[in-house]
Amino acid sequence: MSNCIHLHYDVSGEDFTRAGEASGAVKKRLKALGYNTDAIRRVAIAMYEAEINMVIHADGGFTDIDIYPDRVEILLSDKGPGIPDVEKAMQEGFSTAPDNVRNLGFGAGMGLPNIKKYTDEMRIETEIGVGTNLYLTVNVNQ
């Protein structure tokens, strides 16, 4: 697709110092391409929240980003434990993060609700013991 820029990043597990590298790189790329600041902010927030979830719960994974003139499509994929109850996980304040993660200031239970808030489309495919795929779309009004 000539109107699509494809990016791929690995997300390192259990390394909070590297969490956010992919969202930061995508933010820079979108700025360089001239996307509006609201769209860039929404993509960066959603991706960062998802990256943190991958570090906390799934020992990392990867993200594929497709940048189109009118939207940004993001896949975040992990081989973690899966989400036992997606509906419950979508509730603000619900968290399964361990105490050591909470002591670092993460795991407040706002990850998935924030991702939904800052994207135009969000779809979760998860299987216990296999992993989770998170599909996000942010529409861009340039």
Side-chain angles (χ1 to χ4, degrees):
M1 294 182 200
S2 60
N3 279 351
C4 174
I5 297 171
H6 179 79
L7 305 172
H8 173 89
Y9 299 95
D10 290 320
V11 178
S12 179
E14 296 182 17
D15 186 353
F16 287 95
T17 62
R18 294 190 57 209
E21 285 182 354
S23 57
V26 171
K27 181 179 178 179
K28 281 184 184 175
R29 187 67 173 268
L30 293 173
K31 278 184 183 178
L33 291 168
Y35 283 81
N36 70 64
T37 55
D38 181 62
I40 294 169
R41 180 179 63 83
R42 292 171 59 221
V43 167
I45 291 170
M47 279 190 67
Y48 180 78
E49 292 282 10
E51 284 178 79
I52 289 294
N53 279 352
M54 291 169 80
V55 171
I56 293 171
H57 302 288
D59 195 28
F62 71 87
T63 181
D64 284 326
I65 302 95
D66 290 323
I67 303 171
Y68 296 93
D70 65 337
R71 69 191 182 283
V72 178
E73 295 181 356
I74 306 158
L75 163 64
L76 298 113
S77 182
D78 68 56
K79 301 291 183 209
I83 303 170
D85 187 338
V86 173
E87 191 175 316
K88 193 178 247 184
M90 290 299 300
Q91 294 174 7
E92 291 185 11
F94 177 80
S95 177
T96 58
D99 287 341
N100 65 316
V101 170
R102 290 173 191 252
N103 290 338
L104 294 172
F106 300 102
M110 292 303 294
L112 289 175
N114 274 342
I115 294 167
K116 183 166 181 59
K117 176 181 177 181
Y118 288 104
T119 58
D120 294 295
E121 294 177 36
M122 174 179 158
R123 182 168 49 96
I124 299 172
E125 291 178 357
T126 187
E127 188 174 338
I128 301 304
V130 176
T132 300
N133 288 329
L134 184 59
Y135 300 90
L136 310 174
T137 301
V138 174
N139 294 324
V140 177
N141 299 319
Q142 287 188 303

